[in-house]
Amino acid sequence: MNKKLSTLLFLILFGIVGINAQDKQVTEGKDYSYLYKNLPIPLERPQLPVIPERYVKLTDYGAVSDGITLCTEAFKKAIDDLSSTGGGHLIIEDGIWLTGPVMLKSNIDINLRRNAIVKMTPDKSKHRNTTNKTSKLVIPAFYAKNAHDISITGLGAIDGSGAYWRPVKRSKVSATEWKQYTQMGGIISADGNIWYPYNLKNAPSLTNSPEEEANARADLIRVEHCERVLFQDITVQNSPRFHVHPCYCKDVSVLGVIVRCPWNAQNGDAIDLSNCNRCLVTECTIDAGDDGICLKSGTGKTGVNAGPCKDVLVEDNTVIHAHGGFVIGSDASGGVQNVVVRNNRFMGTDTGLRFKTSYGRGGATSNIFISNIVMTDIKEQAIVFEAAYANKQVGKADEVAGATDYAPDFKDIHIEHITCRGCKTGILAKGDEGLIHDIDIKNSVIFYIKKATDIQTTCKLDVSNVTFKTFEMEMW
C-alpha cells in the first residue's frame, strides 16, 4: 500500500472513530449514587435507561437545519429506523431544526449537540393529533406512551414556540409587550383583560373559540406509563403548557436540565412529576412562569387508582422564578410518599415551599423530609399550606370544590434548616380542621417583611427553634 493511500485510510478511520467517541462522550452519564447516602429515609433509586451503542444523525434522513425546512418526517424516519434495529442514539447536530411533534420509542436516545435548537413549528395544524395514543386534540412536542429506556440528552435546546399557544393577562405585561402580542393578531376578551392567540396572522386556529384554543395546549415533553426515562443537560424553554411532565412513570431521572420561559407564562410549570415512582431531580436550573419542581398524584378516583407519587429525591437545584420553588399539589388524590428535598436554593420565587390542594383533589402525604433550603427575595410566603386552593383558569372565576371523599390531608411533613432572607410572610397555613396536621418546622431562620406567621388554629404545626426577624422600623 502506498504512503498516500495509507494516510487517506488513516484519516478516514480516525474521523469515524472521532465521531463515535464524541457521540459516546456526550451521552455518558454522571454517577449520582452519592446523593443516596445519609438520607433521612431509604429511597429506591431510579434505574437509568439502557441504550444500544448505535448512532445515526438526523441529516441522514433528509433533515435540514435552516430553521425553515420542516423536519418532522425526518425525525419519524430516524426513530422508526433505530427502533427497527433495537434502538440507539439519534444525534441532532448544530443548527435550527423546525419540527412538529416527535413520537419517542423504546431504547432510543435523542442527543442534542450544544448549538442544536429543536424549534416547534408555529403552524398549529402540524400539532393536531392524528394518532390514537391520546384523546387530546393536540399532541405534545416530544411524546411517549408505554415505552421503556428513553432519553433526551445533550447540551442543546428544545423551544416550544409557546407564544403562539398561551393566553396572556393584560395585568401581567407591559404596554410594549401587550402591543407585541396584539401585533401577532389574536383576540382580546370583551373586558380587554386577556389576549388569546386565536386566529393569529401566521398560525390559523384549530378550534371554534379562544377559550377552546387555550385549553387545547399540550405539554412540551410528556411521557406516560414509561419506564427508565432520562432527561439530562438539555435546555427546555417556552412551552405552550408544562415543560417536562412524566406521568405514571417508573425510574425517572431529570439531571442538569435548564427550564426557562417568561415569568408570566400561563401554566408554565417547569418540572412536574405526576404519579411517578423512583425519581431523581438534581442540578436543574429553573426560571418558569408557574410551579418550579412539582409533585402531583391526580384528582379523585383517577388519582387514587394511579397510585402515589413515591420515592422522590430533589437535591441541588436552583429555582430563580416560579410560583413555588418546591410544590406538592394541587392534584394530590393518589398521595405523595417518601420524598426527600434538600440542598436547594430559591431566588425570587413567589413562594418557597408550597403545599396546595382542595376538596375533590386532595390526598395524604407521608414521609416528607425537607432540609437545607436557602431562599432570597420570596414574594409571598417562605412556607405555605393551602387546603382550599382555587383552580384558576384564564377567563373564568376561581373554582373551589365542595367537601367530597377526596379531602386534603397534609401530614407527616418534616421541615428543618431553612434560611430565608426576605418574604412577606414566614409561614402560612389555612384549612379546615384535620386537613393540615402533624407537621414540624424547626431549626430555621426567616427574615420576613409583614408577618412572621399566619397559621389558623385549625392547622396543627409544631414550629420550634425558628428565628423570625424583620426590620426594626416599618419600611413597607
Side-chain angles (χ1 to χ4, degrees):
M1 183 181 294
N2 63 47
K3 184 176 180 181
K4 185 175 181 181
L5 180 59
S6 63
T7 301
L8 178 60
L9 288 174
F10 172 78
L11 290 173
I12 293 172
L13 289 172
F14 181 81
I16 293 172
V17 171
I19 290 173
N20 286 340
Q22 185 182 21
D23 292 340
K24 293 177 182 179
Q25 183 179 10
V26 170
T27 56
E28 283 178 355
K30 176 181 175 182
D31 181 9
Y32 288 95
S33 59
Y34 71 94
L35 293 176
Y36 286 82
K37 297 178 180 179
N38 303 316
L39 292 173
I41 54 173
L43 295 178
E44 290 192 47
R45 287 178 56 192
Q47 297 180 30
L48 292 173
V50 177
I51 309 295
E53 293 290 320
R54 187 178 296 110
Y55 298 85
V56 301
K57 296 178 180 179
L58 192 62
T59 49
D60 297 338
Y61 300 87
V64 180
S65 61
D66 58 6
I68 299 171
T69 305
L70 196 65
C71 301
T72 313
E73 189 61 25
F75 270 104
K76 183 180 185 305
K77 288 179 179 178
I79 290 172
D80 287 348
D81 188 23
L82 280 173
S83 181
S84 68
T85 55
H89 303 263
L90 173 57
I91 308 301
I92 314 299
E93 298 174 288
D94 293 356
I96 301 175
W97 309 88
L98 189 70
T99 185
V102 175
M103 301 295 293
L104 304 174
K105 292 187 176 182
S106 299
N107 301 114
I108 292 177
D109 166 57
I110 308 293
N111 184 265
L112 304 169
R113 292 296 170 79
R114 180 182 293 275
N115 289 328
I117 301 175
V118 177
K119 177 77 170 177
M120 307 314 294
T121 176
D123 184 348
K124 296 183 179 182
S125 67
K126 304 299 184 184
H127 297 265
R128 185 183 292 275
N129 180 22
T130 58
T131 75
N132 57 5
K133 291 182 178 292
T134 173
S135 60
K136 300 292 186 180
L137 174 65
V138 172
I139 201 165
F142 283 78
Y143 180 66
K145 187 173 184 179
N146 298 320
H148 60 84
D149 297 285
I150 58 177
S151 61
I152 306 177
T153 62
L155 298 172
I158 300 172
D159 188 302
S161 299
Y164 291 87
W165 295 92
R166 296 187 303 261
V168 176
K169 294 180 179 178
R170 178 66 181 88
S171 60
K172 287 190 173 184
V173 296
S174 67
T176 299
E177 291 172 309
W178 185 255
K179 183 178 179 180
Q180 291 172 344
Y181 282 113
T182 57
Q183 285 177 342
M184 294 172 62
I187 298 292
I188 298 176
S189 61
D191 59 9
N193 292 330
I194 302 171
W195 174 83
Y196 289 96
Y198 184 75
N199 290 343
L200 296 172
K201 293 177 181 178
N202 299 310
S205 299
L206 297 175
T207 65
N208 297 317
S209 74
E211 293 79 12
E212 284 185 80
E213 198 81 4
N215 290 330
R217 291 176 294 149
D219 300 334
L220 190 54
I221 300 175
R222 183 183 179 98
V223 292
E224 300 179 5
H225 301 285
C226 294
E227 296 184 4
R228 295 181 297 281
V229 177
L230 169 65
F231 305 112
Q232 185 167 18
D233 296 334
I234 57 175
T235 294
V236 184
Q237 66 176 30
N238 204 20
S239 175
R241 195 169 172 268
F242 299 168
H243 287 78
V244 179
H245 193 193
C247 305
Y248 325 115
C249 294
K250 296 179 180 178
D251 299 306
V252 177
S253 300
V254 187
L255 314 176
V257 171
I258 298 172
V259 181
R260 58 188 300 272
C261 69
W263 73 269
N264 49 17
Q266 190 70 27
N267 306 118
D269 290 33
I271 300 170
D272 285 13
L273 305 176
S274 296
N275 303 88
C276 291
N277 291 179
R278 297 189 297 273
C279 304
L280 171 61
V281 180
T282 188
E283 296 182 352
C284 296
T285 301
I286 292 168
D287 186 355
D290 210 306
D291 292 330
I293 300 169
C294 183
L295 307 185
K296 301 176 182 289
S297 61
T299 301
K301 185 177 180 180
T302 300
V304 172
N305 291 341
C309 196
K310 183 179 180 181
D311 285 307
V312 180
L313 176 58
V314 178
E315 183 156 358
D316 292 334
N317 301 284
T318 298
V319 184
I320 298 169
H321 185 274
H323 286 184
F326 172 77
V327 181
I328 292 180
S330 55
D331 298 336
S333 295
V336 179
Q337 303 172 9
N338 301 349
V339 176
V340 176
V341 181
R342 62 182 187 178
N343 303 322
N344 298 284
R345 57 181 177 175
F346 309 146
M347 301 181 293
T349 58
D350 290 352
T351 62
L353 301 170
R354 188 182 191 189
F355 306 84
K356 57 173 183 174
T357 190
S358 63
Y359 289 110
R361 58 205 305 199
T365 59
S366 61
N367 281 339
I368 313 295
F369 289 83
I370 302 174
S371 63
N372 298 320
I373 310 296
V374 293
M375 314 181 196
T376 58
D377 303 315
I378 304 302
K379 183 179 178 181
E380 298 294 338
Q381 305 89 18
I383 304 170
V384 54
F385 294 88
E386 303 170 87
Y389 175 74
N391 183 23
K392 299 180 180 180
Q393 298 185 28
V394 172
K396 295 184 179 180
D398 294 352
E399 296 178 6
V400 180
T404 74
D405 293 334
Y406 305 103
D409 190 13
F410 286 127
K411 64 180 181 181
D412 195 11
I413 299 173
H414 312 280
I415 302 173
E416 65 176 337
H417 300 302
I418 307 300
T419 304
C420 177
R421 169 69 194 193
C423 61
K424 183 181 290 185
T425 303
I427 303 171
L428 182 147
K430 293 186 177 182
D432 293 342
E433 188 78 40
L435 303 186
I436 301 171
H437 60 101
D438 296 303
I439 296 167
D440 55 82
I441 304 171
K442 59 185 180 181
N443 304 328
S444 298
V445 178
I446 298 176
F447 190 97
Y448 66 93
I449 305 302
K450 287 291 186 180
K451 286 185 177 181
T453 62
D454 185 0
I455 303 172
Q456 288 184 344
T457 57
T458 52
C459 302
K460 307 305 179 185
L461 277 63
D462 179 9
V463 180
S464 62
N465 196 31
V466 176
T467 300
F468 294 97
K469 289 287 187 179
T470 190
F471 297 107
E472 292 184 2
M473 62 177 63
E474 183 67 37
M475 297 182 66
W476 291 70

